[in-house]
Amino acid sequence: MKDDAKALARRFAYPICDGISEYPLVRERVQLIPYAFAKQRALLPLDESDSLVTVAISDPLDLDSLEELRLYLQKPVSPVYCPRSAIEAAIEECYRQKEGEAKKLFSDLSSTNGAALQEESLEGYDLLEMAEQNPIVRMVNAMILDAIQQGASDIHLEPGETVFSVRYRIDGALLRRDSPPKETQSAITTRIKVMAKMDIAERRLPQDGRIKLRQGGREIDFRVSTIPTSHGERVVLRILDKGNVLLGLEKIGMDEKILRSFRKMIHAPEGIILVTGPTGSGKTTTLYSAITEIIHREVNVITIEDPVEYNLAGISQMNVNPRIDLDFAKGLRHILRQDPDVIMIGEIRDKETAEIAIQASLTGHLVISTLHTNDAPSALTRLADMGIESYLLSSSVLGVLAQRLVRCICPHCRISYTPSTDELADLGLQKEQLSDGKLFKGEGCQHCFKSGYKGRHGIYELMPMYSKIKAQVVKSADAEALRKVAATYHIATLFEQGRELALRGLTTSSEILRVTRMGQDAAL
C-alpha cells in the first residue's frame, strides 16, 4: 500500500520525502491547523510563505482534504508525499505540549465548578485533543502530559490543609511540581475518578481503577488509586507506558557474567527462581524480560499477578482479585490444572503460596516469582521463616537474583570531583583505585530538572544454588551464614556491583549507599 501511494505520488509529480522533521513549521512546532484535523486526515503543513503553504500528505488521492486545507488556510497548498508513519510521528512532536503548559494552566485557573464534568466515554481518549475542553479537563490532561514528557512513573496528588500538592516520581525519587489551586482539588479528583470509572459519590473508602489513554500514536495505561485523608482524597496514578519499558534481558543492564548464569537458569526444565528487592526496584520488568525470552520456545506460560501491569503476547495472564477471594494460592492451584510448563507468580506472600510454588517446581514446572527481601541470601531465610522445610529449598531453588535501580548521573551536567576520605571509606576504596583520583556527580541542569540524575541502571546480585550453598541451607538457612558461603564463590554483592558503576562514572557514591543500604557494613 505504501509503495502504491508512492507510485501515485510520482505519477502526480509530487515531491517525495521519507522524513519531514527538518521542515520549518515542524522544527519550530508551529500549529497552523487543529490537531484533530491533522491526525484524522494524516496531513501536516511543513512550510509557509506569503502566497503558498507546503503540506505533507500520505494519500495522493485525498484531494478533498487538500481542498479543505486550502479553504481553512485561505492560501494555495503545494503537496509533498510522505509515508503516513512519518507524518503521524511529526504530528505528535509538533503538537506536543509545550514546557510549562501545566504551570500556566494552574496559574490561570483560580476556581472552577466540578459539576460541569461529564461522564463521557474515555476509552482510547487522546490527551492531545484538549483545545476545546473545559479548564479542569485541560488541566488534568496537561498534568498527565507533563508527567509523561518528564519520564515520571507515578503522579501523586496530595491534599493538605491549605494546599493541593502535585509530585512526580522520576527515576525513583518524588519531585515536587507546580500545584493547582486548592479550590480545584475536588474537581480534579472527580475528573480523574470519572476517567478511571470509579464511584465519584464514594469519598470515604479507598478505590482502584484503570485508565486507557493515547498520546498521539502511543497507548498509555494508568493504574489509579484513591484513599481518604483528613483533607480530602489522595490520588496516585501509576503510569504504565509500554513505550518506555525495555523488555529483554540484554536491555536491563545486567553484568555479562550474571546474564549468562541467569539465562541458564530460566531455560531449566524445572525448579524455582526468585527475584528479590523492594517495591520499585524493577523486579516485574526482570520477570517479564525472562518470560519474553522463554515464550519463543514451544511452552505453555501462565502468570498470576497483582495486578497484570503489561499484557504480553503469547502467554496467559491472570489477575488476583480479593473481592471474589481469588488470591495467589487459589489461582496457583487452578493454574496447575492448565498443564503449564512455566509459571510466573507476581509475589510469594504467605506459606500456602510458597508451598504450592515449591511443589510445582518439584513436579516438572519452572516457577519464577518475587520476594521482598534485602539481598539474595535473605530470600532463603524468608522462605524458611514461612515454614518451608530446608531440604525442599535446597532441592527446588535454582537461584536467587537480588536487584536495585540506581539513578544515573545526568550526562549534560556531569562533572568530576575529588572525594573526601570519609566518602572513600564508606565505599571501601583507596584513592589509588580511582581514575585520576576522581569520582563523578551531576551539578543539576534543565535536562534533569536540577536533580543531577537522568535515567536509571540496574544492579544485580545473583546467587546460584551451588553445592556448598545447598549444604548450608540444609544445615541452616541463616542469612549471614549463607552470605559467608556465597563469598567463597566470589558472588558480587549489590554494594560491590554499585560501587563498580560509581567507579565507571555512571552513578554517584551517595546513590549507591542510599539504594543498597549496606554500604557501611560492606566497607567495614
Side-chain angles (χ1 to χ4, degrees):
M1 185 69 182
K2 176 181 172 182
D3 293 337
D4 292 344
K6 185 177 285 190
L8 278 172
R10 288 196 179 98
R11 287 183 60 186
F12 292 165
Y14 289 169
I16 296 173
C17 61
D18 293 320
I20 53 177
S21 59
E22 292 306 313
Y23 277 88
L25 299 185
V26 180
R27 188 175 62 246
E28 297 168 16
R29 294 169 58 187
V30 177
Q31 304 165 3
L32 293 183
I33 59 177
Y35 169 77
F37 181 75
K39 182 184 176 185
Q40 182 181 359
R41 306 302 176 90
L43 53 79
L44 186 67
L46 304 177
D47 198 3
E48 182 182 27
S49 66
D50 292 338
S51 58
L52 186 71
V53 176
T54 303
V55 58
I57 62 169
S58 61
D59 182 2
L61 296 176
D62 190 6
L63 302 180
D64 289 342
S65 293
L66 290 176
E67 179 62 16
E68 286 184 48
L69 184 64
R70 183 189 68 79
L71 292 173
Y72 181 84
L73 297 176
Q74 294 294 300
K75 283 183 182 179
V77 295
S78 175
V80 171
Y81 170 77
C82 186
R84 187 183 186 97
S85 58
I87 292 177
E88 288 177 343
I91 289 173
E92 184 175 340
E93 182 60 30
C94 192
Y95 288 84
R96 184 179 179 183
Q97 179 172 287
K98 296 177 182 178
E99 187 175 347
E101 183 70 16
K103 180 179 180 179
K104 183 177 184 297
L105 282 171
F106 292 165
S107 62
D108 287 349
L109 193 64
S110 59
S111 65
T112 190
N113 186 357
L117 296 173
Q118 297 178 353
E119 296 190 33
E120 70 271 28
S121 173
L122 290 160
E123 187 71 22
Y125 180 80
D126 197 321
L127 287 164
L128 294 174
E129 295 177 350
M130 61 178 182
E132 304 301 322
Q133 304 290 355
N134 71 45
I136 287 295
V137 174
R138 293 180 61 205
M139 181 185 291
V140 172
N141 286 3
M143 179 176 60
I144 293 174
L145 274 172
D146 192 42
I148 293 170
Q149 290 173 7
Q150 292 188 31
S153 61
D154 301 85
I155 304 172
H156 290 242
L157 303 176
E158 303 166 334
E161 185 176 358
T162 58
V163 295
F164 184 43
S165 301
V166 175
R167 292 197 291 175
Y168 301 162
R169 188 175 293 281
I170 301 175
D171 295 333
L174 270 176
L175 305 177
R176 189 171 296 280
R177 289 294 177 258
D178 296 296
S179 299
K182 175 69 175 175
E183 294 81 6
T184 65
Q185 174 181 313
S186 177
I188 289 176
T189 302
T190 301
R191 171 63 183 173
I192 293 172
K193 291 171 73 173
V194 167
M195 295 170 75
K197 298 180 173 64
M198 294 177 175
D199 183 355
I200 60 173
E202 180 56 75
R203 301 180 180 181
R204 302 164 300 171
L205 294 174
Q207 295 189 64
D208 294 301
R210 292 185 79 104
I211 304 173
K212 184 185 288 290
L213 302 175
R214 293 198 316 272
Q215 183 196 6
R218 294 162 60 192
E219 281 196 359
I220 303 172
D221 290 343
F222 298 80
R223 199 166 75 225
V224 184
S225 171
T226 67
I227 61 170
T229 70
S230 56
H231 299 296
E233 290 181 282
R234 190 184 195 278
V235 183
V236 174
L237 292 86
R238 166 66 59 89
I239 302 172
L240 305 174
D241 184 0
K242 296 177 184 178
N244 283 341
V245 177
L246 296 177
L247 294 183
L249 294 177
E250 70 284 348
K251 298 177 182 178
I252 59 177
M254 276 190 184
D255 175 80
E256 192 173 331
K257 181 180 177 182
I258 292 176
L259 180 58
R260 284 197 304 268
S261 297
F262 190 65
R263 273 201 167 121
K264 186 177 179 181
M265 286 181 193
I266 66 172
H267 288 288
E270 60 184 28
I272 183 167
I273 301 168
L274 299 169
V275 179
T276 78
T279 301
S281 60
K283 300 188 298 297
T284 301
T285 301
T286 298
L287 291 184
Y288 282 168
S289 296
I291 291 295
T292 56
E293 196 156 308
I294 293 171
I295 59 177
H296 294 300
R297 299 156 53 191
E298 295 179 355
V299 293
N300 178 19
V301 181
I302 304 180
T303 77
I304 179 165
E305 308 170 54
D306 183 22
V308 173
E309 293 195 3
Y310 298 101
N311 293 310
L312 302 179
I315 69 173
S316 302
Q317 296 172 270
M318 180 192 297
N319 252 320
V320 167
N321 192 342
R323 294 179 182 175
I324 56 173
D325 198 29
L326 177 60
D327 56 15
F328 281 112
K330 182 175 287 189
L332 192 50
R333 283 197 202 92
H334 289 281
I335 285 174
L336 291 173
R337 298 170 192 161
Q338 294 281 316
D339 186 31
D341 299 295
V342 180
I343 302 169
M344 187 189 103
I345 307 170
E347 183 185 348
I348 293 177
R349 296 174 178 171
D350 51 54
K351 181 181 178 181
E352 188 178 8
T353 305
E355 287 177 336
I356 300 171
I358 294 290
Q359 291 301 324
S361 70
L362 292 170
T363 54
H365 306 88
L366 178 66
V367 179
I368 307 175
S369 185
T370 71
L371 272 176
H372 283 278
T373 60
N374 287 331
D375 58 2
S378 299
L380 299 176
T381 306
R382 174 78 183 278
L383 289 175
D385 290 342
M386 286 182 182
I388 305 300
E389 297 291 344
S390 58
Y391 72 90
L392 290 175
L393 291 175
S394 65
S395 56
S396 63
V397 178
L398 297 173
V400 184
L401 178 75
Q403 67 179 76
R404 299 288 189 278
L405 291 176
V406 296
R407 291 182 291 174
C408 297
I409 299 171
C410 175
H412 300 281
C413 58
R414 179 175 174 267
I415 60 169
S416 62
Y417 70 98
T418 302
S420 66
T421 304
D422 289 343
E423 186 175 350
L424 289 175
D426 287 339
L427 291 173
L429 293 173
Q430 301 295 324
K431 192 172 183 178
E432 294 74 25
Q433 295 175 263
L434 308 183
S435 176
D436 298 324
K438 304 286 187 180
L439 286 176
F440 298 88
K441 64 181 179 180
E443 280 191 307
C445 64
Q446 62 178 1
H447 298 282
C448 60
F449 306 102
K450 306 297 181 182
S451 68
Y453 296 98
K454 187 75 171 176
R456 290 192 287 180
H457 194 290
I459 55 175
Y460 303 89
E461 173 187 343
L462 180 63
M463 186 181 75
M465 290 297 284
Y466 295 123
S467 56
K468 290 182 181 178
I469 295 176
K470 287 185 177 182
Q472 178 58 48
V473 170
V474 172
K475 181 180 177 182
S476 169
D478 176 69
E480 191 57 41
L482 286 169
R483 285 191 200 99
K484 291 179 180 178
V485 176
T488 65
Y489 288 99
H490 305 290
I491 294 173
T493 65
L494 288 168
F495 175 74
E496 291 165 344
Q497 288 273 322
R499 183 171 61 186
E500 181 61 30
L501 293 184
L503 288 171
R504 288 163 51 190
L506 293 178
T507 190
T508 63
S509 59
S510 59
E511 183 69 3
I512 296 305
L513 296 173
R514 179 186 72 85
V515 169
T516 64
R517 300 178 191 152
M518 295 180 62
Q520 300 294 339
D521 294 337
L524 294 176

